[in-house]
Amino acid sequence: MCGIVGAVAQRNIVSVLIEGLRRLEYRGYDSCGVAVLANGEPRRARSVARVADLDEQVRDTKLAGETGIAHTRWATHGAPVTDNAHPIFSRDTLAIVHNGIIENYEPLREMLRGKGYEFVSQTDTEVIAHLIHSLYRGDLFAAVRETVRQLHGAYAIAVLHKDQPHTVVGARQGSPLVVGLGDGENFLASDALALAGSTDRFIFLEEGDVCELKLDGVRIVDRDGEPAPREVRQVAAYGGAVELGPYRHFMQKEIFEQPRAISDTIPQADAFDPSLFGDDAPKVFGKIDSLLILACGTSYYSGLTAKYWLESIAKIPTQVEIASEYRYRDSVPNPNALVVVISQSGETADTLAALKHAQSLGHVHTLSVCNVGTSAMVRQTEFTFLTHAGREIGVASTKAFTTQLVALFVLALTLARIRGHLSDAQESSYLKQLRHLPAALNSVLALEPQIIAWSEEFSRKENALFLGRGLHYPIALEGALKLKEISYIHAEAYPAGELKHGPLALVTEAMPVVTVAPNDALLEKLKSNIQEVRARGGQLYVFADSDTRIVNAEGLHVIRMPEHYGLLSPILHVVPLQLLAYHTACARGTDVDKPRNLAKSVTVE
Ligand code: G6P
């Protein structure tokens, strides 16, 4: 999704800005650009291709300057064409980059047209540019503060003005923005990762903050214009580029990193104690009577899986809702519920808004399960459980998902213990199973060659159906999502019992049906569903547990999972589905790590 980088220094900062954009590339974008003050004039380069193309342009044109802003754009208002690419200028006087969506841009545009401003792009961003221009009276900081008061919606912006050398002004509301502190130079970005090459000292701006970067310091005010001292945090973990190593894509690398990521996420402690979630959790967890889980995309599916664990092990009523739906419907708040937000990035706009909505309704107890310790979500929740997946670059989430599952399993056991549903013997048995997971996963990863053989056939299909039952229905959903995201094959998932209520009509020889078949209480039911598909000439691709006695036959292709894993089985069964999607996408030659139209971190509604 959109990315911002800005800098003021006493050296040419174009390479810093381009490097920052490179670090944000993995999030997905469709155009990019950079603007600097060169001899007192704003100059820019923009591209609808990759950052590498932008880099070539700035080298060819020798674009250089000591004050600059840069952007990767993921189109919302207006197509991904050069005129809509940021930085956007107002009357060749000021330049702006913007993440987010301005909801009242239409009345503002009419008002500005009335004042004689001409619009050359279809972006909502151009409204902000002209508004700042119209309010500028020699003080950019003041003009931006006055401007943001008139904006409705979400934004993070960075602005420079021809009359204010060595000054970049930023503001945020609903979209992240972070200041990077250097020696005699300062930076701004939508994600600290963008600045990892330049500094390890960051200030994470808060909602409504406006900041002014100069060479010798940074001024920050809150939404009321009051000086806002913000904590400076040293975050060394952002350093160092992520290397691809022997892998073809980051997605493949991240699939293979799962044993390590899971082992890093499993708590070291020998008991499931609420203090794993925060100091006050022992007091609060004993009082909660239900859970409300809010998330988007793959993170939503980890919540759906967790519902089975939470209700069966901890016997606690659990509701799981898509964040973007929850925030806009009337719901009945329960102050004794624990609201759990799940997010890889911790910056997903809809999940953040759903959290805020829940809090506004009177929900007081909130927990984030998140992969980024410095994210807005972690800062805005009472309790946190950090997953240790490490940086995930591939847009399609893999290791973040399985580590979320581990975190949520730990939550289920913790609540089970506190609610008296977990004996000491059960606790140590679950701990043992968790600790064995990385080894079990390694055996699943060894199935890759067999999955590659299947992917050749899948790559020639245009549709696929995924079936699962119980705990594995969300895994079927995740398998279908992976396949559609990166191979562009239309894929749908159904709880297998629903097959005969509709999707069976689609089953022909041309429709592969992928089935997750663990040896659990629902196996016999699932076998009947398998027969329903076979009887109609459908081609079944089954990931079966070792002891299920489902064997290869006409129309029935079986890959045997190395071991049966009881309640933790979803964590193992999702991995071959990730590999199937990955190798099918490779066979179709798609851009696996950056699938078309998608973004890693969706910071707009
Ligand atoms: C985007 C990503 C998905 C991710 C979803 C939620 O759609 O492409 O991979 O699952 O956002 O992101 P989050 O960071 O909140 O987990």
Side-chain angles (χ1 to χ4, degrees), residues 355-368:
L355 170 65
K356 211 163 154 188
H357 179 65
Q359 287 165 329
S360 76
L361 293 179
H363 283 285
V364 278
H365 299 307
T366 56
L367 161 71
S368 52

Side-chain angles (χ1 to χ4, degrees), residues 148-314:
V148 294
R149 276 204 284 272
Q150 300 187 37
L151 303 179
H152 300 164
Y155 53 80
I157 56 172
V159 193
L160 58 80
H161 192 286
K162 68 188 275 239
D163 296 340
Q164 308 233 300
H166 297 120
T167 307
V168 166
V169 175
R172 71 153 289 198
Q173 174 71 43
S175 284
L177 198 61
V178 54
V179 172
L181 302 172
D183 276 337
E185 53 188 28
N186 290 301
F187 311 93
L188 196 62
S190 51
D191 185 332
L193 176 67
L195 306 177
S198 306
T199 183
D200 62 359
R201 288 188 304 135
F202 301 102
I203 296 173
F204 295 88
L205 295 178
E206 294 188 9
E207 292 287 74
D209 281 356
V210 182
C211 67
E212 181 188 51
L213 271 62
K214 298 262 190 198
L215 289 174
D216 55 358
V218 175
R219 171 156 61 129
I220 301 170
V221 295
D222 65 17
R223 69 171 82 245
D224 301 320
E226 296 300 320
R230 303 279 180 232
E231 187 192 346
V232 178
R233 301 225 221 151
Q234 190 119 11
V235 189
Y238 287 116
V242 177
E243 302 293 339
L244 199 48
Y247 298 98
R248 233 174 113 188
H249 296 97
F250 281 106
M251 182 175 175
Q252 187 189 26
K253 174 173 188 255
E254 289 157 5
I255 290 173
F256 278 83
E257 277 173 352
Q258 289 178 108
R260 200 262 318 131
I262 282 177
S263 139
D264 289 352
T265 301
I266 297 168
Q268 292 304 309
D270 283 332
F272 297 104
D273 192 89
S275 58
L276 291 167
F277 297 82
D279 292 344
D280 285 342
K283 268 193 278 162
V284 173
F285 278 22
K287 288 191 296 193
I288 58 159
D289 64 9
S290 61
L291 264 74
L292 169 61
I293 300 183
L294 303 168
C296 301
T298 289
S299 298
Y300 169 67
Y301 294 149
S302 74
L304 279 187
T305 314
K307 176 183 166 79
Y308 290 84
W309 290 330
L310 287 156
E311 296 207 338
S312 75
I313 312 174

Side-chain angles (χ1 to χ4, degrees), residues 61-88:
T61 57
K62 303 200 167 31
L63 189 77
E66 300 185 349
T67 308
I69 54 179
H71 195 250
T72 46
R73 173 172 187 256
W74 187 81
T76 55
H77 292 66
V81 295
T82 309
D83 276 348
N84 291 333
H86 303 197
I88 299 279

Side-chain angles (χ1 to χ4, degrees), residues 296-299 342-346 348 395-397 404 485 599-600 602:
C296 301
T298 289
S299 298
I342 309 171
S343 176
Q344 187 285 126
S345 60
T348 300
V395 163
S397 183
Q404 283 167 356
E485 278 184 306
K600 181 75 191 151
V602 182

